[in-house]
Amino acid sequence: MLPILNSEYVLSRPDLHISKEYLNYPEKVLQFGTGVLLRGLVDYLIDKANKQGIFKGRVVVVKSTDGPTTEFSSQDNLYTTHIKGVAQGEKINRTLINASISRVLQSNADWAKVLETVHQPELRVIISNTTEVGIQYVEENISDGVPASFPGKLLAVLWERFQYFQGSVDKGFVIVPTELVVDNGRLLQEIVLQLAAFNQLPAAFIEWIKNNNNFCNSLVDRIVPGKPKELETLQEKAGYTDSLWIDAEPFLLWAIEGDAHIKQRLSFHEADARMLIAPSITPYREQKLRILNGSHTISVPLAFLGGLNTVYECMEHSYMHSFFRTVVMEEILPTIQDICPHADNFAQDVLDRFANPNIAHKLISITFQESSKMNARNVRTLLRYYERKHTLPPAMCLGFAAMLLFLRPVKEEGGKFFGARGTEQYVITDDNAAVFAAYWKEVKTADSAAVTQLVQQIISDTRLWEADLNQLPGFAETVSAHLLGMMQEGTLVYADGLRKAATK
């Protein structure tokens, strides 16, 4: 029978680099959320720093969902992180045991203990990931038991801190939300202040929130699939059982807006150059939007209609592998290199991530809200590319045409539109589906004139795009030709034919 992963076990294994001193480090971080992203990214970085003797602090976690915390306490809050995938073209496969979490408190059952945590002077950092829904204003009285919302809980914690230390100006927090919301730090501060006013809390406290706490905008990026399917086999190989085991890809990025004070407080950033603290995180948000998200959106309809089902399958497919690389390295990257100084490395990292055999990222799920994502992620790139090179990006034009074909409905049923991939039908999950259906209604066959008119009408519809794309020289003609060709021959057959013709 295998032993359970716990502190006794890790202390018996010097090769795991977890000492008794580490397990007695003071609590320096209050973390709202027990999810795999926080454990696989934020807590990973803190653990890495602790093992290097840099931060020397542990994390007390608040579990907001109902249910016991015994899954954590039974293992002394230790867990395995299995990092596997591709980095710089090399396969990565390694495990580590994370000892950064000191305890996990359930917000309803342990609320008094949650408030007591902020009586510790060493505890100076608050991290959260409560999903995008978590950062919303909920009008509630924080003195009536446990606040329901995350901003309510945070306000109660700040109020407890303020009272306990009598408003001391050096007892504020660095607060870093990691929810995937633009300007998440600024938004969270606005909601907390609004809620403080609703609760009629003292003006001195409100000024303390404003002047002695730092709410930092941040951007996180790491795929953490969570518990592996083959856990039993992995446990046998590791020699212990671990119900908290998580998988993670090699890539990670945590960009935080901050100055020297923030760097000092978040000293664990020194352990990993991929945790970046800078005056602005806009370049990192832009490169993620354009390169990672944009290449997904422009490429996936072509691959899906061609019969592929996951991003990894695309990277194993000769044509789609080349298509992704062309879109990323030759068409998107040149449009942002002047505003995103780390874009070159990020672009290569993205291609490595796509080639990770351990992540089954389904293409159909990426097509959710395809048209609005195309506008948000790629229209600006199309315009920038033309401005710089005075020509059109060939692969992106083909991808745009494939999107139009993907959004062609073959039937409407129960208020939903369905597209077709051969004999298989799929739901078009797009808020603009009815708009595209109305345009496609006039196209009965693969008729050149009808297809050209369709494309001209769609690309000039400024309800869909931030600009009238008919004004982009040659775009309507190029997209129309691609769309007609794919309707007649099939997406990947037509696309591969283009490639072969180009190499003659």
Side-chain angles (χ1 to χ4, degrees):
M1 187 174 179
L2 295 174
I4 297 172
L5 177 63
N6 57 26
S7 52
E8 181 182 0
Y9 176 81
V10 298
L11 291 175
S12 71
R13 292 273 307 275
D15 58 304
L16 297 176
H17 308 292
I18 298 171
S19 64
K20 188 174 289 187
E21 180 188 14
Y22 180 172
L23 297 178
N24 288 317
Y25 283 158
E27 292 175 339
K28 292 186 178 182
V29 179
L30 178 62
Q31 175 178 295
F32 285 87
T34 58
V36 294
L37 176 65
L38 286 174
R39 291 199 286 129
L41 176 58
V42 175
D43 300 333
Y44 165 82
L45 290 167
I46 292 172
D47 177 71
K48 186 175 183 179
N50 283 339
K51 287 170 180 172
Q52 294 178 22
I54 294 174
F55 184 60
K56 297 185 178 181
R58 300 186 79 198
V59 183
V60 55
V61 176
V62 179
K63 180 177 183 285
S64 297
T65 54
D66 290 330
T69 60
T70 50
E71 192 175 34
F72 285 89
S73 60
S74 65
Q75 297 186 181
D76 296 328
N77 307 298
L78 300 165
Y79 63 92
T80 307
T81 302
H82 188 184
I83 302 170
K84 52 184 181 177
V86 179
Q88 297 179 338
E90 299 292 326
K91 287 188 176 181
I92 305 296
N93 187 356
R94 62 186 177 88
T95 59
L96 61 93
I97 293 177
N98 190 312
S100 64
I101 297 176
S102 57
R103 53 189 172 133
V104 177
L105 304 174
Q106 206 284 324
S107 60
N108 292 321
D110 302 316
W111 186 239
K113 291 180 180 178
V114 173
L115 294 177
E116 285 174 10
T117 63
V118 299
H119 297 176
Q120 303 174 88
E122 300 95 339
L123 195 141
R124 308 299 296 272
V125 178
I126 296 178
I127 308 290
S128 71
N129 192 291
T130 54
T131 77
E132 299 87 295
V133 179
I135 304 186
Q136 290 189 6
Y137 178 71
V138 177
E139 213 166 70
E140 58 182 333
N141 192 323
I142 65 166
S143 62
D144 293 341
V146 184
S149 69
F150 165 57
K153 291 182 177 71
L154 178 57
L155 177 63
V157 162
L158 294 174
W159 177 229
E160 180 72 18
R161 179 81 162 193
F162 178 83
Q163 293 179 97
Y164 187 81
F165 288 106
Q166 300 178 341
S168 176
V169 296
D170 66 346
K171 292 298 185 290
F173 293 104
V174 169
I175 301 165
V176 190
T178 64
E179 290 80 356
L180 294 176
V181 179
V182 175
D183 294 334
N184 44 21
R186 177 191 57 77
L187 178 62
L188 181 58
Q189 182 181 38
E190 288 176 357
I191 293 172
V192 167
L193 290 171
Q194 186 181 1
L195 194 54
F198 172 77
N199 279 265
Q200 299 182 327
L201 294 170
F205 170 59
I206 292 174
E207 288 303 307
W208 180 82
I209 293 176
K210 292 179 182 177
N211 299 325
N212 303 115
N213 293 269
N214 300 94
F215 290 76
C216 302
N217 296 325
S218 84
L219 173 70
V220 292
D221 189 7
R222 191 178 211 182
I223 298 174
V224 186
K227 195 175 293 185
K229 293 179 182 177
E230 67 281 14
L231 180 59
E232 285 190 19
T233 303
L234 292 169
Q235 289 178 146
E236 288 288 342
K237 186 177 180 181
Y240 58 83
T241 63
D242 177 3
S243 63
L244 297 172
W245 186 302
I246 59 172
D247 286 348
E249 67 170 333
F251 177 86
L252 72 82
L253 171 69
W254 191 12
I256 301 170
E257 280 187 357
D259 54 17
H261 167 70
I262 304 302
K263 285 185 177 182
Q264 182 181 23
R265 192 63 58 83
L266 305 180
S267 61
F268 51 91
H269 78 91
E270 297 171 19
D272 198 309
R274 299 169 298 176
M275 179 178 172
L276 304 153
I277 301 174
S280 172
I281 63 171
T282 298
Y284 304 104
R285 185 183 296 116
E286 182 73 2
Q287 71 184 21
K288 181 184 178 186
L289 178 70
R290 305 300 171 191
I291 297 175
L292 174 63
N293 304 139
S295 64
H296 265 164
T297 300
I298 201 74
S299 307
V300 161
L302 180 67
F304 178 78
L305 292 175
L308 303 178
N309 293 302
T310 67
V311 174
Y312 178 67
E313 285 180 19
C314 293
M315 300 307 285
E316 289 293 290
H317 186 275
S318 173
Y319 177 80
M320 284 309 305
H321 181 102
S322 174
F323 185 87
F324 265 104
R325 176 165 287 278
T326 297
V327 164
V328 169
M329 304 303 289
E330 298 178 22
E331 297 186 358
I332 299 176
L333 181 58
T335 68
I336 62 169
Q337 283 172 308
D338 57 338
I339 55 177
C340 301
H342 300 282
D344 296 71
N345 291 336
F346 183 76
Q348 186 55 58
D349 286 338
V350 163
L351 294 172
D352 284 342
R353 298 172 78 185
F354 290 168
N356 189 340
N358 304 293
I359 297 173
H361 201 167
K362 295 186 181 298
L363 301 183
I364 192 64
S365 66
I366 296 172
T367 65
F368 178 74
Q369 303 298 356
E370 173 72 16
S371 65
S372 59
K373 288 178 178 176
M374 183 68 75
N375 181 50
R377 300 170 175 181
N378 291 316
V379 167
R380 185 70 55 86
T381 300
L382 287 167
L383 299 173
R384 286 172 173 168
Y385 188 94
Y386 191 85
E387 287 171 5
R388 285 163 170 75
K389 297 183 176 290
H390 307 291
T391 188
L392 295 168
M396 294 189 75
C397 289
L398 179 60
F400 193 96
M403 174 205 66
L404 298 183
L405 188 57
F406 175 84
L407 294 171
R408 179 189 189 182
V410 295
K411 75 171 184 180
E412 180 185 3
E413 185 176 286
K416 295 180 180 179
F417 292 93
F418 294 80
R421 180 175 73 166
T423 58
E424 170 193 358
Q425 292 187 354
Y426 55 87
V427 179
I428 299 173
T429 51
D430 194 299
D431 287 345
N432 294 315
V435 176
F436 285 92
Y439 283 127
W440 272 109
K441 195 174 183 180
E442 304 304 317
V443 181
K444 305 300 182 184
T445 61
D447 174 73
S448 177
V451 169
T452 298
Q453 184 179 23
L454 167 84
V455 170
Q456 289 174 339
Q457 289 175 334
I458 290 177
I459 69 173
S460 62
D461 189 340
T462 51
R463 293 175 300 171
L464 301 171
W465 323 115
E466 67 174 74
D468 178 355
L469 296 176
N470 250 329
Q471 303 304 312
L472 201 56
F475 187 64
E477 294 83 356
T478 303
V479 171
S480 298
H482 289 329
L483 181 55
L484 184 64
M486 287 187 287
M487 291 171 69
Q488 294 171 336
E489 302 176 30
T491 55
L492 291 183
V493 172
Y494 171 77
D496 200 39
L498 285 179
R499 178 175 66 169
K500 289 175 181 175
T503 55
K504 284 183 179 178

